[in-house]
Amino acid sequence: MSADPVALTRTLVQCPSVTPTEGGALAALEAVLRPAGFDVARVTFSEPGTPDVENLYARIGSGAPFLLFAGHTDVVPPGDAAQWRHRPFAGEIADGQLYGRGTVDMKGGIACFLAAALDHLAANGGRPKGSIGLLITGDEEGPSVNGTVKLLDWAHARGERFDHCIVGEPSNPQALGDMIKIGRRGSLSAVVTVEGRQGHVAYPDRAANPIPVLLAILSRLTAQPLDAGNAHFQPSNLEITSIDVGNGATNVIPQKAVARFNIRFNDEHSLDGLKAWIEGIVAAAARPGIVPAVTYARGNSQSFITRPGPFVALVADTIAEVTGRRPELSTSGGTSDARFIKDYCPVIEFGLVGQTMHAVDERVPVADLVALTAIYRRIIDRYFGA
């Protein structure tokens, strides 16, 4: 059995799977995977305060090595559909481009890997010399609570053990073959709250202004660069994202001042180390009648890297052969579900070109879908020695 990556991408795009809605996308994958011999499980996870999310896990083969592909079928909202040249969930092709929400991020990547896997199986007796798996979530664009992180735990509890993983996120900045993500910086989001005492500005002795204390904290946090970066990571950076006092009056000292910031950090830091540094600065800023405190957002993540070795070389060499470009090994960009997968096996990210992801008229060249399928097919063949 084989599959056309362009047709499969169109089918997935035509499923309006705006996070956290399944929209028929997982059902469309299951309809292809089961006839090809994959064992398929559809698993829904729940947690109070978050939407229920349906996920899919599929595997064919029973031995090692085990190559896993990970991705997501949920997409961001299309916005005003009238602004699109082609309807966002129509999957229309025009001038060699396939249009639609999710074509790049990342239904096209899923379709290409599935088509490549099916072609490999068809050429090798219907079974791999090891195992091939797909771990597909519907919660990557959402809070990422009931998706990959829980699906990995679920699979591990069932005895699933992966050797390597490819995440099909759009990793290329300009052209197919530009870049492999071999890691990501960590992310730490924090909220500093300084409680003072409200009062009239003409009688400051009767009040305790929280704003100077908050400014002193932020000044110390940003006084020096966190580091200079290293061979695999760009420098860490701390960005203040908001400062709020909720005070519309010019003659009132406010009761409270709040600041939010995010740190994107490389492997010269850890979450625990950064938290200790922040908490030391916050505690040292306390004044009589003024109490500062810090809290952290849910979902903060450590940095990670899959260091160059045989697996990374296999992927890079294959990309270079198909595209003529030697990919940069990068850890740039934001976070992805690879941050969860790295706890289970070495993971890299390689997919389509990301220039139109999350944008009006998101689209992918049909030629790139064909080329990415060829890359994935050669990777699978070489991984299993076919």
Side-chain angles (χ1 to χ4, degrees):
M1 181 178 182
S2 61
D4 175 1
V6 179
L8 186 52
T9 302
R10 293 189 69 197
T11 296
L12 292 175
V13 169
Q14 288 164 358
C15 300
S17 53
V18 176
T19 191
T21 304
E22 186 270 334
L26 298 181
L29 290 175
E30 183 177 10
V32 177
L33 288 162
R34 284 196 184 279
F38 283 81
D39 294 324
V40 181
R42 302 265 293 275
V43 191
T44 299
F45 297 112
S46 304
E47 187 164 319
T50 62
D52 292 354
V53 174
E54 190 170 1
N55 305 273
L56 179 146
Y57 179 74
R59 175 177 180 164
I60 189 168
S62 57
F66 191 160
L67 178 62
L68 181 70
F69 178 87
H72 62 92
T73 52
D74 63 318
V75 299
V76 297
D80 183 2
Q83 299 297 313
W84 288 64
R85 277 179 273 180
H86 304 278
R87 290 172 298 158
F89 296 110
E92 296 181 23
I93 297 175
D95 298 322
Q97 303 269 345
L98 173 55
Y99 285 78
R101 177 59 84 226
T103 49
V104 170
D105 189 17
M106 57 164 286
K107 291 178 175 180
I110 294 172
C112 290
F113 184 87
L114 180 51
L118 294 179
D119 286 346
H120 171 85
L121 294 172
N124 291 276
R127 306 286 289 186
K129 295 178 181 177
S131 301
I132 298 174
L134 289 93
L135 188 141
I136 309 296
T137 182
D139 189 32
E140 199 273 347
E141 301 289 7
S144 297
V145 171
N146 294 316
T148 296
V149 63
K150 289 186 177 178
L151 190 56
L152 285 163
D153 289 343
W154 173 88
H156 192 265
R158 289 163 55 96
E160 302 292 272
R161 299 294 184 267
F162 318 118
D163 291 294
H164 296 92
C165 179
I166 298 172
V167 179
E169 287 284 359
S171 62
N172 297 286
Q174 299 292 333
L176 192 68
D178 279 348
M179 183 177 291
I180 301 171
K181 303 282 190 180
I182 61 169
R184 296 278 187 159
R185 292 190 299 169
S187 177
L188 174 59
S189 293
V191 180
V192 174
T193 303
V194 182
E195 293 279 356
R197 187 168 64 253
Q198 189 182 67
H200 196 294
V201 297
Y203 302 94
D205 55 309
R206 301 176 186 175
N209 194 335
I211 295 176
V213 172
L214 179 62
L215 293 178
I217 291 170
L218 298 178
S219 179
R220 286 197 61 191
L221 288 172
T222 58
Q224 299 293 332
L226 291 169
D227 56 69
N230 56 41
H232 291 296
F233 286 92
Q234 66 192 90
S236 303
N237 62 295
L238 186 156
E239 301 299 330
I240 299 167
T241 57
S242 72
I243 300 175
D244 304 291
V245 295
N247 183 18
T250 59
N251 61 348
V252 176
I253 293 171
Q255 170 73 25
K256 181 171 66 173
V258 179
R260 291 172 171 81
F261 63 89
N262 178 269
I263 303 175
R264 294 301 167 104
F265 60 94
N266 58 39
D267 60 353
E268 297 185 20
H269 305 276
S270 68
L271 284 172
D272 288 344
L274 288 170
K275 287 179 180 179
W277 172 66
I278 294 166
E279 289 160 14
I281 290 175
V282 170
R287 299 289 183 270
I290 300 180
V291 182
V294 60
T295 59
Y296 304 101
R298 184 173 181 171
N300 292 319
S301 59
Q302 299 278 12
S303 67
F304 72 93
I305 186 169
T306 298
R307 297 197 176 276
F311 178 65
V312 173
L314 183 154
V315 174
D317 290 346
T318 302
I319 293 167
E321 289 175 9
V322 175
T323 68
R325 299 180 184 89
R326 172 59 59 175
E328 176 186 354
L329 305 182
S330 174
T331 59
S332 61
T335 60
S336 74
D337 278 359
R339 70 188 187 274
F340 306 125
I341 299 166
K342 52 87 175 171
D343 294 330
Y344 295 84
C345 68
V347 55
I348 60 98
E349 300 174 57
F350 182 74
L352 293 163
V353 177
Q355 287 190 346
T356 63
M357 61 181 176
H358 293 206
V360 169
D361 289 332
E362 182 177 351
R363 60 196 179 274
V364 60
V366 169
D368 278 7
L369 294 173
V370 174
L372 181 59
T373 302
I375 292 168
Y376 284 156
R377 170 66 192 279
R378 288 198 194 185
I379 290 171
I380 296 170
D381 286 350
R382 290 178 173 176
Y383 190 81
F384 294 107

